[in-house]
Amino acid sequence: MKKLFTAILACAMMAGASASALAENWVVLPGTSGVKVDTDSYVDGGILAQMTLELPAGGKNVISSMAFNREDNTYRIATLQMPSKDGKMETKVYPDNPENWSKILPNTLGKTIYTHYVENPLPRFTNPDWVTLYKEEGVRFHGSEYQIEKNTMSYRDGYATFWMRITYPWKDQNFSAAVYQVKMDVPNKKVQTLSMTEYDYDGKVRSHGAGSRDRGNIEPDTPMYKVYEYVNHALRTGQLKMVTTRHG
């Protein structure tokens, strides 16, 4: 399993056609050349996350369902679809045995997947409560709204973590909304974007990836300052309380 990614790419060079039709919503994985994730296949079980990927090589493609373990920073191949010598797609299922799990190493494809989809998962909400904090009145983005999901806000050691959504009613923007996971240094008025997910007007994910490690200042008279005021008010009034578990 240590070199399984290399083996997958080698298999793709054997024969066969693209398997894109097998998935419902391919999204390019940031930082790669043509690797895609089927966001409709994404399952987040807390400790375990699983998704289906398309890996191209030599003009061919293989489909791999992969599982990741957050607790011990490992991954395994769950299933692999690859072309056989006669050109037909064959599916191989790998059992969930300890020997089939491998450590995620730096500067590998596995680490890239882990960074963008496991450390920074796709937004998933149960009974969300979006609160509109700011409505853009400018000509270009007229009607766009900045919203915060109040039920999943958390606060620990001076940092508030929450989901923020910007909706775009005008279709000339080519996407309907962007959802950000945000980490806010409340005492020092600084903010960091942990991840960003764009959606089209059918509700499908257009792009997803980890954000920046940089923390910028929250400037007055900006939409983010309105968000800061809401978070700070929630802290002062006891609506947002300290938690002891990581929000994700």
Side-chain angles (χ1 to χ4, degrees), residues 134-185:
Y134 178 84
K135 186 170 183 178
E136 180 64 61
E137 300 297 339
V139 175
R140 184 181 179 190
F141 299 112
H142 179 66
S144 60
E145 295 184 353
Y146 288 70
Q147 304 168 332
I148 192 170
E149 207 296 293
K150 60 184 288 187
N151 290 338
T152 50
M153 296 172 62
S154 65
Y155 185 77
R156 184 176 184 180
D157 299 332
Y159 292 93
T161 305
F162 54 89
W163 296 94
M164 184 180 76
R165 181 172 69 183
I166 305 178
T167 62
Y168 297 89
W170 286 11
K171 290 192 175 182
D172 62 349
Q173 299 304 319
N174 200 31
F175 59 94
S176 67
V179 175
Y180 302 83
Q181 189 175 33
V182 178
K183 186 175 183 179
M184 181 177 286
D185 180 348

Side-chain angles (χ1 to χ4, degrees), residues 53-114:
L53 296 99
E54 180 183 75
L55 302 105
K60 312 300 180 182
N61 297 274
V62 295
I63 302 295
S64 176
S65 178
M66 303 184 65
F68 294 83
N69 189 313
R70 290 185 174 94
E71 202 166 59
D72 55 15
N73 200 43
T74 58
Y75 76 93
R76 76 176 182 92
I77 304 298
T79 63
L80 178 63
Q81 289 183 318
M82 55 186 176
S84 63
K85 292 181 179 180
D86 60 7
K88 296 181 180 180
M89 295 298 290
E90 293 184 346
T91 301
K92 185 171 183 180
V93 179
Y94 293 87
D96 186 3
N97 295 332
E99 61 269 21
N100 285 338
W101 288 89
S102 299
K103 281 290 184 182
I104 299 171
L105 301 177
N107 303 314
T108 63
L109 177 58
K111 179 61 176 178
T112 300
I113 301 168
Y114 190 89

Side-chain angles (χ1 to χ4, degrees), residues 115-132:
T115 296
H116 290 288
Y117 279 88
V118 183
E119 287 183 331
N120 299 282
L122 285 168
R124 292 287 190 269
F125 305 104
T126 301
N127 299 320
D129 186 359
W130 292 99
V131 179
T132 299

Side-chain angles (χ1 to χ4, degrees), residues 4-20:
L4 198 44
F5 279 116
T6 303
I8 291 173
L9 295 177
C11 288
M13 297 181 180
M14 295 168 56
S18 173
S20 296

